Amino acid sequence: MEIIIQPTPEAATSIAAKLIAKLLREKPNAVLGLATGSTPLALYRELVALKLDWSKVKTFNLDEYIGISPQHPQSYHSFMWGNLFQHVNILVKNVHIPDGMAKDIPVSCKLYEEKISAAGGIDLQVLGIGTDGHIGFNEPTSSLASRTRIKTLTQQTIKDNAHFFGTEAKVPHHVITMGIGTIMEARQNLLLAFGEKKAAAIAAAVEGPITAMNPASVLQMHPNAKVFLDAAAAVKLMKADYYRWVYDHKPQWQQF
């Protein structure tokens, strides 16, 4: 796990965007796993500004709410099209987002896993982290070997997401999410976290034990995981100075 600490969210996002751009230039038919929420918004703006070729890229989103239509303003379908897909030359057939309106959720989840496999697996997965350490919507106690499935949101996640819906009462309680096992099969994982409210979850994920109580901690076991932080999100890390020193002294061939 590589920890990349920058003074601001913008600086950290810029590095992450360059890494993704490098992948798309080297592998035009790359398969990306994408996240939603406040954290990746700046990342998607930067990727749009870079004017990359998305014509052969395939994408798989981490999650979607159950019970709201793709046209709902707070659906992750709407989020992705509004903030990324409509601004790049990606093909509609290459965009994959879990179907929150599926009549048979378990079958829909199984088909989603099969589509990821048929695409050759995910080359690079973008992740955020919840204040309780969740990645995707894999809430604490999620199996570290889990696959795409239905999950019930915790009260904390409902509270955290209430500002998107206006009130907690309007936040759906159930979601479809890629599993932790699915996320761990991505060839590269990039986790972004900004702000002091994420600091405790980040400290537990990076320097704490690997545990289902902090699902992001499983990334310690991933062979190519990078964590992009601003200074505020890094304040609880005991080895923050070391992570900064390592990044500043990377050998030339490791720099990106």
Side-chain angles (χ1 to χ4, degrees):
M1 180 184 282
E2 181 178 5
I3 314 303
I4 300 166
I5 303 171
Q6 295 293 298
T8 65
E10 293 77 16
T13 295
S14 180
I15 298 170
K18 289 175 183 175
L19 195 151
I20 295 171
K22 182 175 184 288
L23 171 65
L24 297 193
R25 290 177 180 129
E26 293 176 350
K27 186 178 182 180
N29 63 338
V31 180
L32 299 181
L34 299 176
T36 53
S38 312
T39 301
L41 277 173
L43 176 67
Y44 296 152
R45 286 195 293 268
E46 288 218 25
L47 291 175
V48 169
L50 289 170
K51 300 187 183 303
L52 302 161
D53 181 12
W54 292 72
S55 61
K56 297 179 182 178
V57 174
K58 292 182 180 179
T59 65
F60 289 87
N61 261 74
L62 280 169
D63 40 34
E64 179 60 286
Y65 292 107
I66 290 176
I68 63 175
S69 73
Q71 293 74 37
H72 189 287
Q74 295 307 324
S75 75
Y76 290 157
H77 282 74
S78 293
F79 178 98
M80 291 307 305
W81 282 101
N83 292 294
L84 179 59
F85 296 146
Q86 72 178 12
H87 306 292
V88 298
N89 64 329
I90 196 166
L91 301 181
V92 174
K93 69 177 183 179
N94 288 340
V95 171
H96 304 88
I97 303 174
D99 183 3
M101 297 298 288
K103 292 182 179 179
D104 191 325
I105 297 295
V107 168
S108 179
C109 292
K110 182 174 182 293
L111 289 174
Y112 202 68
E113 289 277 340
E114 290 174 358
K115 288 178 182 177
I116 293 173
S117 180
I122 293 171
D123 291 302
L124 186 152
Q125 175 69 59
V126 177
L127 298 167
I129 185 172
T131 56
D132 57 4
H134 71 248
I135 49 177
F137 272 129
N138 294 284
E139 300 282 25
T141 74
S142 291
S143 165
L144 300 184
S146 55
R147 313 303 301 189
T148 301
R149 69 211 185 285
I150 184 173
K151 283 295 291 183
T152 301
L153 299 184
T154 64
Q155 290 177 303
Q156 181 62 54
T157 299
I158 290 171
K159 182 178 179 180
D160 289 345
N161 288 5
H163 67 282
F164 293 115
F165 289 84
T167 66
E168 289 184 31
K170 293 182 179 179
V171 181
H173 288 193
H174 299 97
V175 295
I176 296 172
T177 184
M178 275 191 206
I180 297 173
T182 314
I183 292 167
M184 288 292 285
E185 287 180 358
R187 286 178 272 281
Q188 186 169 186
N189 273 293
L190 306 188
L191 187 150
L192 289 77
F194 308 130
E196 194 168 354
K197 70 177 183 179
K198 299 294 181 70
I202 283 295
V206 172
E207 297 179 338
I210 297 170
T211 170
M213 292 305 294
N214 184 307
S217 66
V218 74
L219 294 175
Q220 294 179 37
M221 295 290 292
H222 195 277
N224 191 358
K226 293 178 173 60
V227 179
F228 293 84
L229 308 173
D230 67 349
V235 294
K236 293 185 181 293
L237 291 172
M238 293 183 292
K239 304 289 286 185
D241 288 343
Y242 173 67
Y243 306 139
R244 290 186 175 97
W245 191 92
V246 168
Y247 182 75
D248 290 341
H249 292 82
K250 290 167 73 75
Q252 186 70 34
W253 62 271
Q254 277 194 331
Q255 294 178 12
F256 49 83

